[in-house]
Amino acid sequence: HREAQADRTTSTTYLNFRRTFDRAVILGDPGGGKSTLTQLLCFDLARQISLAAANPKYGGFDSRDLRLPLRVILRTLEKRQQQNPSYQIFNYLIDEIRVHCDNDERLAARFLKQLLTLGQAVLLFDGLDEVLDVGARRDMATVIEQFTAVNASCPALVTSRIVGYNDAPLNDDYQILTLARFNGEEVRKFSEQLIRAISNEKIATAKEKAADFLGQTDATAGDLRENPLLLGLMVYIFNA
């Protein structure tokens, strides 16, 4: 992630961001990895909770890694609100977890209230830009601000495309970061690992194929390769 501050740009690693953010907006290009970032946060935090539960005598877990991720897909929330104007973020979260609470809505609500009150959750709001109407997007931004203000002890993250974000921005409580594009080394590593994953090649062979791919695309698609989605598609086509 990169954060613009005056005339300079600062960078932070994924792990540092995961453990330190309080209120954050992640901006990025289409296919730049915004939703993937929220999914990765869900996976990593859930895995840490599982490891801690399986090893109760081990005291080396960071408490910041033991908060339950709660992900809200904003286009889905918007559709449900269109069908039922009284439908709120809390209703969405209940619907997402009730299957794990024996489909008991009251039990799910009590569990969520405890998590939110104690600050034991991480709130992830994915795809503000996918609320297409600008007025509706501004309303959604306000709803997110209100919900996270009430549950202030829980970190909150919102993702959006760069283009159009300023039409419906979050308030100044939210730190704005931009998801960095792949650099040359990351393009190489991604290509090697994806080729190995989809072709089941040995490491040495995957590296050779990746080098061939990079050589073929250096002159004509060097900038496109910096986008994770486009790079993945290009590698799949090359491998085929």
Side-chain angles (χ1 to χ4, degrees):
H1 309 285
R2 294 176 183 151
E3 179 184 11
Q5 295 180 345
D7 294 327
R8 73 182 192 277
T9 298
T10 60
S11 299
T12 184
T13 64
Y14 165 72
L15 180 60
N16 181 64
F17 171 76
R18 190 182 84 196
R19 289 180 170 174
T20 60
F21 80 90
D22 178 42
R23 297 284 181 271
V25 175
I26 298 294
L27 302 179
D29 298 321
K34 303 180 297 298
S35 293
T36 301
L37 174 62
T38 63
Q39 293 169 334
L40 179 62
L41 284 165
C42 289
F43 176 80
D44 284 344
L45 292 171
R47 181 174 58 179
Q48 288 295 309
I49 292 171
S50 297
L51 288 172
N55 300 276
K57 295 182 179 179
Y58 178 67
F61 292 101
D62 192 310
S63 61
R64 297 171 295 182
D65 292 334
L66 302 180
R67 293 174 295 200
L68 188 69
L70 299 173
R71 181 170 177 247
V72 178
I73 300 173
L74 293 176
R75 67 174 180 272
T76 303
L77 174 61
E78 182 195 24
K79 289 179 181 178
R80 294 177 186 177
Q81 288 177 331
Q82 289 171 346
Q83 296 170 353
N84 178 7
S86 65
Y87 194 88
Q88 300 297 324
I89 292 172
F90 193 73
N91 303 115
Y92 181 101
L93 296 176
I94 289 175
D95 288 342
E96 289 298 299
I97 73 161
R98 63 191 300 172
V99 68
H100 305 292
C101 299
D102 297 326
N103 279 318
D104 187 329
E105 185 173 334
R106 294 176 62 187
L107 177 60
R110 289 200 301 270
F111 175 65
L112 281 172
K113 287 179 180 178
Q114 180 179 5
L115 282 178
L116 296 171
T117 300
L118 298 177
Q120 293 179 337
V122 176
L123 301 169
L124 306 170
F125 300 95
D126 189 24
L128 182 60
D129 59 284
E130 295 183 15
V131 179
L132 300 180
D133 179 78
V134 174
R137 198 183 315 151
R138 289 172 181 161
D139 291 341
M140 185 68 76
T142 299
V143 167
I144 292 170
E145 290 170 352
Q146 292 171 344
F147 187 81
T148 55
V150 170
N151 301 289
S153 56
C154 296
L157 179 151
V158 181
T159 69
S160 176
R161 291 184 182 182
I162 298 172
V163 175
Y165 173 72
N166 288 332
D167 294 332
L170 277 293
N171 63 31
D172 291 340
D173 291 339
Y174 283 79
Q175 176 189 25
I176 299 177
L177 300 100
T178 301
L179 197 60
R181 296 171 69 88
F182 277 168
N183 60 34
E185 179 63 13
E186 289 165 340
V187 169
R188 182 189 65 78
K189 286 184 178 180
F190 182 96
S191 302
E192 290 177 2
Q193 292 174 5
L194 183 55
I195 287 173
R196 191 178 181 208
I198 62 180
S199 64
N200 202 29
E201 299 281 7
K202 294 181 179 179
I203 295 177
T205 304
K207 287 185 175 181
E208 290 177 2
K209 284 190 173 183
D212 187 18
F213 165 76
L214 295 175
Q216 291 187 32
T217 56
D218 267 335
T220 57
D223 56 338
L224 297 179
R225 296 184 318 202
E226 297 175 357
N227 181 285
L229 177 61
L230 294 179
L231 176 59
L233 293 172
M234 291 164 65
V235 169
Y236 267 101
I237 292 170
F238 170 83
N239 190 71

